[in-house]
Amino acid sequence: ILVVVWVVYRIIERYGGKPAQKRSSEILWTRDGKIFFLFLLVVLLSALNTGVNLIYLTFSVLASALMVSLLFVFLSGKKWEFQLETPVQVTVGQVFEVHIKITNRSKWLPIYGLSVSVEWPSEIEGEYARTLILKIAPNTERRFCLRGMAARRGLFTISNVSLGTSLPFGFFERRANFDLKKELLALPRTGQWLRTDAADASG
């Protein structure tokens, strides 16, 4: 079964779409996955102790769910592409928008439950730092925007963006970190020159 799964994975990886952009990626055990694995070990020890075929069957079903979760998380994160568009310059105290586009380059595998996390610089007050996308179909893209506001003037960098999914079952999580280094120039607030101010300055 493992050999067949590996062959299918290699075929999907080779012909499943265009290669994704470079980023650091890792697969992590979730808390629920660790608890489920301990429960799986208890079922296995019970089956070995009693020799009941029904308990062996239960163990096989549970182990299959664990393997399917790992395989799907491993495959679904191979073809992610991420683009971040920021304005060239903004004004302190005024709301601006950052546009995000996520593309699924796979030809067959959709992406479910994708969480998008953007780490704003401390000088920028941003909303929706973590966004959840329910589904991205194969060879499609999703676009959305985040709003932020600069608290003071200066040149800031939005660099850390991460994507993650733990579906199905939530036993494993695949997380990809993108180092984009998008610079954002915040200009001082603009004022209005009044006639009384001009008179006082001339006097």
Side-chain angles (χ1 to χ4, degrees):
I1 294 176
L2 293 177
V3 171
V4 172
V5 170
W6 177 253
V7 171
V8 172
Y9 159 69
R10 295 299 297 178
I11 294 174
I12 293 176
E13 186 183 40
R14 184 172 182 179
Y15 301 104
K18 299 179 181 179
Q21 63 192 137
K22 294 182 179 180
R23 80 281 193 200
S24 60
S25 178
E26 58 183 353
I27 298 178
L28 304 173
W29 282 88
T30 63
R31 180 176 177 271
D32 296 336
K34 294 177 181 179
I35 295 175
F36 183 83
F37 182 73
L38 293 177
F39 176 73
L40 187 63
L41 290 180
V42 172
V43 175
L44 176 60
L45 293 176
S46 178
L48 294 175
N49 185 40
T50 60
V52 178
N53 292 334
L54 182 59
I55 301 180
Y56 278 112
L57 179 60
T58 303
F59 169 77
S60 301
V61 173
L62 296 177
S64 299
L66 192 68
M67 293 178 61
V68 168
S69 178
L70 177 61
L71 180 63
F72 194 88
V73 167
F74 184 73
L75 293 178
S76 63
K78 299 293 290 185
K79 304 295 180 180
W80 292 345
E81 279 194 5
F82 181 88
Q83 292 184 7
L84 180 69
E85 298 178 358
T86 60
V88 178
Q89 60 187 27
V90 298
T91 302
V92 173
Q94 294 184 2
V95 177
F96 63 90
E97 292 184 348
V98 172
H99 296 272
I100 294 176
K101 183 179 76 170
I102 302 174
T103 307
N104 181 14
R105 292 296 183 183
S106 175
K107 291 183 179 180
W108 298 295
L109 292 177
I111 301 175
Y112 293 100
L114 185 66
S115 63
V116 184
S117 300
V118 178
E119 183 177 344
W120 295 99
S122 59
E123 297 83 2
I124 295 179
E125 300 175 358
E127 64 175 358
Y128 307 129
R130 187 177 179 90
T131 305
L132 179 65
I133 300 177
L134 297 180
K135 180 183 178 181
I136 304 179
N139 270 337
T140 58
E141 63 184 34
R142 290 290 300 272
R143 296 174 180 265
F144 61 96
C145 65
L146 304 177
R147 295 188 299 175
M149 184 178 65
R152 64 180 183 86
R153 63 182 182 180
L155 182 62
F156 311 118
T157 302
I158 303 175
S159 57
N160 297 325
V161 178
S162 62
L163 308 180
T165 180
S166 59
L167 292 181
F169 309 135
F171 299 147
F172 299 92
E173 180 184 21
R174 177 153 198 159
R175 184 154 296 278
N177 298 314
F178 296 83
D179 191 9
L180 301 175
K181 298 187 184 304
K182 291 287 186 176
E183 292 186 345
L184 187 67
L185 179 61
L187 301 179
R189 289 185 177 90
T190 56
Q192 184 178 4
W193 188 262
L194 302 177
R195 290 183 179 181
T196 55
D197 297 334
D200 294 340
S202 60

